[in-house]
Amino acid sequence: MDNTENQSTLDRIKQQIEENPILLYMKGSPKLPSCGFSSQASQALMSCGEPFAYVDILQNPDIRAELPKYANWPTFPQLWVEGELVGGCDIIIEMFQQNELQPLIKETAEKYKEEE
Ligand SMILES: N[C@@H](CCC(=O)N[C@@H](CS)C(=O)NCC(=O)O)C(=O)O
Ligand code: FES
């Protein structure tokens, strides 16, 4: 039933954000991005050298529709770290250039490695 599906979109989003300490919502995949903004963001993130989760919002139109409302952020990509929205492409690139992205990603990855 599609009302069940609608109802669960927000729950799925919350679960994804909760379960993945480094999560990129993007268009396409890191290996095959479908947009320049998503490409730049995923490349900056990949250059940090830690694994991260991603959701291709082109494959998930319900998430594409719902996440901007939940996040209060209108566009993609969206980087979420430890349950909080870091920002989109511009912010990711700026943090990368200021050498702020790598320590954030490294520290987060280390923290969750220790917990395993
Ligand atoms: N300045 C933005 C660029 C991203 C952007 O403008 N994304 C647009 C085009 S890819 C978007 O997500 N639009 C809404 C949509 O396609 O659902 C950023 O820093 O992330
Ligand atoms: S898909 Fe056109 S700008 Fe991103």
Side-chain angles (χ1 to χ4, degrees):
M1 272 200 313
D2 65 0
N3 64 338
T4 316
E5 204 177 287
N6 281 339
Q7 195 188 11
S8 69
T9 301
L10 195 56
D11 288 340
R12 274 171 63 218
I13 290 170
K14 286 179 183 167
Q15 194 176 2
Q16 288 166 348
I17 289 170
E18 213 174 309
E19 287 179 355
N20 298 286
I22 307 166
L23 173 62
L24 186 68
Y25 287 95
M26 66 181 291
K27 295 186 177 181
S29 66
K31 278 189 183 155
L32 203 61
S34 300
C35 168
F37 297 122
S38 286
S39 174
Q40 284 186 51
S42 61
Q43 276 186 32
L45 205 49
M46 280 193 284
S47 75
C48 297
E50 298 293 341
F52 61 90
Y54 76 92
V55 173
D56 179 358
I57 55 120
L58 297 180
Q59 306 285 342
N60 294 277
D62 56 334
I63 291 177
R64 183 182 188 176
E66 288 303 316
L67 180 58
K69 294 181 236 164
Y70 175 68
N72 208 7
W73 188 268
T75 54
F76 299 95
Q78 290 189 16
L79 175 63
W80 289 76
V81 173
E82 285 192 284
E84 297 208 1
L85 177 64
V86 174
C89 179
D90 294 345
I91 288 173
I92 295 167
I93 297 304
E94 196 184 315
M95 287 178 75
F96 178 69
Q97 286 168 351
Q98 309 279 328
N99 292 318
E100 288 168 11
L101 187 66
Q102 201 189 18
L104 173 69
I105 297 303
K106 288 265 176 215
E107 277 161 29
T108 305
E110 284 303 318
K111 190 166 155 185
Y112 287 85
K113 269 178 207 160
E114 281 163 19
E115 279 182 13
E116 271 165 24

